[in-house]
Amino acid sequence: MDYDDVLDRLTRWAGDDPNVRALLLTGSAAAGATHRLSDRDLEVYVDDPTPLLADDAWWSELGEVLVVERLHAPGWYPSRIVYYAGGKLDLTVLPVGELTAVVRDRPFTVLVDADGLAAGLEPSPPLLEPPSAADVEQALNWGYAAALMCAKAVVRDEPWSAKIRDRDLKEQLLRLVEWDHRARYGAAVDVRFLGSRMREWMDPGVQRELEDCWGRFDGADTARALRACVRLFARLAQRLAARWDLEPFDHQRLHAEIEAILDQGLSCGS
């Protein structure tokens, strides 16, 4: 997919359609830092979203469409995430009244601005506050709950369930990694989203430890990865607790319980 050509075509289409009042390019492409596999994120501001959501022609003719995710969840703007042969577009459709209301914390490029409403818009980096004690407590409880259930699934020889619980643990581990990084380098550090661009911002030492936190499908390797994951989980949590003077958490007791569960599998197998 030739993204320059696609953006030119979308810009011409938006300029010719009286329903479309503005078109913004967001994401990494607007920031000028794209990987060859980076997609393009666009916000389409319209008087009436209904025609665009009912008609696929404005995006289906831009390339060979492979699959489409049609998102319209409560609390979110409707989107069309379109996977083409050789490319991907994330297209969000918004009422024009939202143009000045949406908070954008990263650079963006105005491609169409029929009413001049986007002329004064600027990115507004968020003021990131440290997590509350309740946030950290939630992450620890949810993370260890997932770890306990992962261990039980290993012993029961339920590998699919074990991997789902492992994913839940990893979600909370990422929260700790991000909080720890900001605690040590400043709240303004951009840790991106869902671990993206981790090679750019995440400490090499943490990255090396994470390499041991993923396992194969079999129970023995899943258990090995689980142990590595909870070790890193505890270390980061203890460092955060020391920095922010949080209430102590009994990691050792949780680790002992996880080992007690895993030992039952060893006993059954002997």
Side-chain angles (χ1 to χ4, degrees):
M1 171 169 275
D2 184 340
Y3 281 122
D4 289 337
D5 176 65
V6 166
L7 292 178
D8 285 343
R9 291 169 64 184
L10 278 173
T11 300
R12 290 196 299 272
W13 160 79
D16 292 339
D17 188 333
N19 185 37
V20 180
R21 310 315 300 164
L23 179 66
L24 272 61
L25 175 68
T26 62
S28 58
T34 57
H35 187 274
R36 64 182 179 277
L37 294 178
S38 294
D39 54 18
R40 298 297 183 269
D41 302 279
L42 294 121
E43 297 175 0
V44 187
Y45 291 88
V46 296
D47 284 326
D48 182 6
T50 303
L52 266 65
L53 298 177
D55 179 17
D56 298 346
W58 61 281
W59 53 260
S60 64
E61 298 175 359
L62 297 173
E64 180 187 354
V65 177
L66 303 177
V67 291
V68 183
E69 293 179 281
R70 302 171 187 269
L71 306 181
H72 198 169
W76 293 80
Y77 301 110
S79 301
R80 299 292 181 264
I81 303 178
V82 189
Y83 297 79
Y84 301 88
K88 172 174 171 277
L89 297 178
D90 287 15
L91 306 165
T92 303
V93 180
L94 308 93
V96 68
E98 296 296 299
L99 179 58
T100 57
V102 172
V103 177
R104 302 171 186 83
D105 55 8
R106 293 191 174 93
F108 58 89
T109 300
V110 179
L111 302 178
V112 173
D113 185 16
D115 305 306
L117 298 176
L121 297 180
E122 295 288 343
S124 302
L127 298 175
L128 299 172
E129 298 292 336
S132 66
D135 291 332
V136 177
E137 181 181 13
Q138 181 194 71
L140 296 182
N141 279 276
W142 287 11
Y144 276 123
L148 290 165
M149 293 304 295
C150 179
K152 291 180 180 181
V154 168
V155 174
R156 292 171 178 166
D157 193 24
E158 297 174 350
W160 199 295
S161 295
K163 292 304 181 186
I164 290 175
R165 294 299 188 174
D166 175 69
R167 178 205 62 192
D168 296 339
L169 170 58
K170 296 292 196 309
E171 182 178 347
Q172 302 309 316
L173 176 60
L174 180 58
R175 294 175 75 186
L176 295 189
V177 171
E178 293 172 347
W179 291 339
D180 174 71
H181 198 81
R182 284 177 172 155
R184 289 184 293 117
Y185 297 109
V189 172
D190 188 357
V191 297
R192 307 297 293 183
F193 175 67
L194 292 179
S196 62
R197 301 191 181 237
M198 59 172 282
R199 301 298 188 194
E200 298 176 10
W201 62 264
M202 196 179 293
D203 281 345
V206 172
Q207 293 187 44
R208 285 192 295 271
E209 289 185 75
L210 286 171
E211 290 175 3
D212 293 328
C213 293
W214 270 261
R216 299 188 302 269
F217 201 58
D218 61 279
D221 206 53
T222 300
R224 176 203 56 76
L226 173 62
R227 291 182 173 105
C229 195
V230 294
R231 283 197 301 269
L232 177 58
F233 191 78
R235 187 174 68 78
L236 294 175
Q238 289 165 340
R239 189 155 68 187
L240 284 172
R243 179 177 290 272
W244 290 329
D245 194 27
L246 301 176
E247 290 292 326
F249 193 93
D250 196 349
H251 299 275
Q252 186 175 357
R253 180 67 188 91
L254 267 297
H255 290 204
E257 182 67 14
I258 291 168
E259 288 300 327
I261 294 170
L262 294 174
D263 285 346
Q264 294 180 49
L266 294 175
S267 299
C268 292
S270 60

